[in-house]
């Protein structure tokens, strides 16, 4: 028996909700996480047709990239497709979950999916986020340090890129004088104590602070744990918008456009003046990505693959980069495969279905 909560826990390991933008509405939008899962339908968008598909496939959880409830719902009387979709889901006991900008911002997320489809190598976050890391320094009797650290690592501390269990310790002498009501683990009330201690430092994602501090208190032998928390300005290289990588081989721009169209199954590509030099470095951003053009240029990208470019924004290329707008749907539709494959590796006791419906509201006439 698997509950929706367990699915959400796994999805949020990949894309923690605190990594979504402030304006976003990712998370469980409809339904209770205590419901048993009968099947999951993976899709880019949630529409009435998608809810019908879930009913037909006996899936009571829809996992999407775009949140159907985005700006807030003030009435629920079926006057527009958003309200009708939500009503249909509720009537049929179907839970709706969206992993949106939080999935845009993680390695292995939306932009990784595009980069992998294009065969890019050495993939990195294009615009790493700042101010999402915290440093914890604490003091601990030397014989307890490892046990405490293990608990902190388990709670999410000490990960830097591909490295886990990262910490630093230095040895010194700690002093304390237990008061009248203290229950000291070492020493006695009213007697000044000196203990050989480690000062230990670890980094943690700011959103894991509560879990890490409770692990510290749980595993540390002292009644009162001495620690410092500091907010860091460091960029987190693992979290942020867009991605950049290199093609296995340089291509001329005409060949690249054909390659891009084929690998992203795009009907049409709107692009700026083809670059005269060979294309090797490629920046990508699923969905509306014009806000990252400067990052793409300063990272040395030859081409920027994204969507939702406006007429005047194309001028900003200024011959420095080739902008390729492949369409919002086309840039992100394979996100459903990413989510499907990720969950398939973890659960197998119920149906995991890829939506077979195109939710693209845009049609092309040529
Ligand atoms: Zn999108």
């Amino acid at each position: 028996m698997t509950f929706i909560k367990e699915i959400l826990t796994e999805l949020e390991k990949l894309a923690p909700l605190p990594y979504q933008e402030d304006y976003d509405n990712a998370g469980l939008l409809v339904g209770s996480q205590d419901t048993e899962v009968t099947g999951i339908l993976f899709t880019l968008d949630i529409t009435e047709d998608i809810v019908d598909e879930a009913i037909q496939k006996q899936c009571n959880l829809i996992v999407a990239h775009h949140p159907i409830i985005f700006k807030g719902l003030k009435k629920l009387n079926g006057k527009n497709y958003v309200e009708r979709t939500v009503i249909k889901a509720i009537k049929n006991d179907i839970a709706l979950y969206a992993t949106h900008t939080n999935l845009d911002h993680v390695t292995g997320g939306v932009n990784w999916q595009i980069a992998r489809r294009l065969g890019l190598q050495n993939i990195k976050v294009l615009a790493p986020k700042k101010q999402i890391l915290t440093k914890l320094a604490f003091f601990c009797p030397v014989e307890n340090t490892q046990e405490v650290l293990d608990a902190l690592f388990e709670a999410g501390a000490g990960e830097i890129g591909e490295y886990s269990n990262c910490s630093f310790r230095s040895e010194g002498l700690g002093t304390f004088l237990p008061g009248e009501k203290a229950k000291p683990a070492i020493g006695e009330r009213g007697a000044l104590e000196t203990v050989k201690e480690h000062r230990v430092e670890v980094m943690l994602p700011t959103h894991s602070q509560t879990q890490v501090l409770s692990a510290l208190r749980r595993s540390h032998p002292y009644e009162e744990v001495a620690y410092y928390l500091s907010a860091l300005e460091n960029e987190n290289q693992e979290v942020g918008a867009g991605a950049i990588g290199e093609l296995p081989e340089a291509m001329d721009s005409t060949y690249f456009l054909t390659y891009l169209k084929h690998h992203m199954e795009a009907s049409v590509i709107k692009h700026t003046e083809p670059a005269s030099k060979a294309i090797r470095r490629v920046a990508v951003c699923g969905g509306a990505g014009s806000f990252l053009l400067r990052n793409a240029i300063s990272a040395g990208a030859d081409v920027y693959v994204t969507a939702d470019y406006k007429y005047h924004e194309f001028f900003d290329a200024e011959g420095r980069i080739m902008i390729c707008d492949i369409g919002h749907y086309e840039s992100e539709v394979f996100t459903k495969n990413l989510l499907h494959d990720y969950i398939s590796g973890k659960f197998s006791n119920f149906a995991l279905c890829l939506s077979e419906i195109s939710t693209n509201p845009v049609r092309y006439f040529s």
Side-chain angles (χ1 to χ4, degrees):
M1 208 187 264
T2 304
F3 294 92
I4 288 178
K5 188 181 189 145
E6 295 163 59
I7 309 295
L8 305 196
T9 302
E10 287 302 329
L11 287 168
E12 287 161 28
K13 274 186 204 161
L14 171 68
L17 290 177
Y19 289 158
Q20 67 182 302
E21 294 289 353
D22 293 340
Y23 60 76
D24 201 2
N25 194 35
L28 186 62
L29 304 170
V30 169
S32 159
Q33 53 178 1
D34 298 321
T35 306
E36 190 188 340
V37 182
T38 61
I40 309 178
L41 181 67
F42 297 90
T43 176
L44 177 64
D45 303 287
I46 308 170
T47 61
E48 287 174 271
D49 287 348
I50 294 290
V51 178
D52 282 332
E53 189 184 15
I55 296 166
Q56 186 238 320
K57 292 188 155 91
Q58 296 177 345
C59 296
N60 66 345
L61 170 63
I62 299 176
V63 173
H65 179 47
H66 293 137
I68 178 76
I69 304 174
F70 190 62
K71 297 174 194 157
L73 281 177
K74 285 200 167 181
K75 293 192 175 70
L76 208 50
N77 53 30
K79 279 216 178 91
N80 58 49
Y81 82 96
V82 173
E83 293 176 12
R84 287 193 299 276
T85 303
V86 171
I87 290 169
K88 186 171 256 190
I90 293 171
K91 276 188 172 171
N92 290 282
D93 257 332
I94 292 176
L96 307 180
Y97 181 85
T99 174
H100 191 211
T101 49
N102 48 326
L103 189 62
D104 288 331
H105 288 155
V106 290
T107 55
V110 175
N111 299 309
W112 252 246
Q113 184 74 345
I114 302 171
R116 287 194 193 118
R117 285 192 77 83
L118 296 179
L120 303 188
Q121 301 168 337
N122 193 22
I123 310 167
K124 300 231 157 56
V125 172
L126 181 58
K129 264 186 187 282
K130 287 182 180 175
Q131 298 168 333
I132 53 171
L133 287 169
T134 295
K135 186 182 89 170
L136 167 67
F138 64 94
F139 302 86
C140 186
V142 292
E143 58 272 25
N144 299 96
T145 302
Q146 197 53 51
E147 191 186 333
V148 175
L149 269 175
D150 289 343
L152 300 188
F153 296 150
E154 179 72 30
E159 291 192 10
I160 304 177
E162 291 299 312
Y163 298 82
S164 60
N165 296 37
C166 303
S167 69
F168 178 82
R169 69 183 78 172
S170 47
E171 201 175 300
L173 289 181
T175 65
F176 50 84
L177 178 65
E180 285 292 288
K181 292 179 187 160
K183 295 183 197 113
I186 299 173
E188 289 178 13
R189 289 180 199 132
L192 182 67
E193 192 63 42
T194 303
V195 180
K196 205 184 264 185
E197 290 182 346
H198 280 138
R199 176 194 161 102
V200 188
E201 297 177 33
V202 284
M203 295 221 288
L204 53 123
T206 304
H207 69 84
S208 304
Q209 195 172 301
T210 312
Q211 297 93 294
V212 171
L213 285 183
S214 80
L216 176 66
R217 293 197 187 95
R218 227 177 24 244
S219 59
H220 198 289
Y222 286 177
E223 186 178 19
E224 300 290 350
V225 183
Y227 67 89
Y228 307 125
L229 273 181
S230 342
L232 298 179
E233 284 298 311
N234 306 31
E235 286 178 342
N236 186 337
Q237 300 297 331
E238 303 300 304
V239 180
I244 185 160
E246 285 118 37
L247 291 164
E249 283 176 24
M251 317 177 170
D252 69 42
S253 29
T254 315
Y255 183 79
F256 176 77
L257 289 167
T258 312
Y259 179 92
L260 176 62
K261 191 166 183 286
H262 173 72
H263 285 274
M264 297 308 293
E265 297 179 18
S267 307
V268 91
I269 300 171
K270 290 199 282 180
H271 62 91
T272 55
E273 186 72 29
S276 50
K277 59 176 182 171
I279 307 285
R280 184 77 197 257
R281 252 171 111 62
V282 179
V284 304
C285 178
S290 61
F291 71 103
L292 283 178
L293 182 69
R294 273 165 196 255
N295 301 72
I297 293 170
S298 56
D302 304 308
V303 61
Y304 181 34
V305 176
T306 184
D308 285 357
Y309 247 80
K310 292 182 184 162
Y311 176 74
H312 288 286
E313 292 169 346
F314 280 105
F315 283 99
D316 298 332
E318 299 203 76
R320 295 171 295 185
I321 194 166
M322 179 165 71
I323 297 168
C324 294
D325 180 336
I326 62 171
H328 196 127
Y329 179 84
E330 290 78 359
S331 71
E332 293 186 328
V333 64
F334 299 106
T335 304
K336 67 182 176 189
N337 303 67
L338 160 77
L339 294 166
H340 173 269
D341 297 349
Y342 175 77
I343 291 295
S344 297
K346 301 178 190 299
F347 299 92
S348 55
N349 50 332
F350 45 81
L352 298 169
C353 307
L354 261 183
S355 170
E356 295 165 72
I357 296 172
S358 167
T359 53
N360 194 356
V362 181
R363 297 285 185 275
Y364 302 99
F365 177 77
S366 57

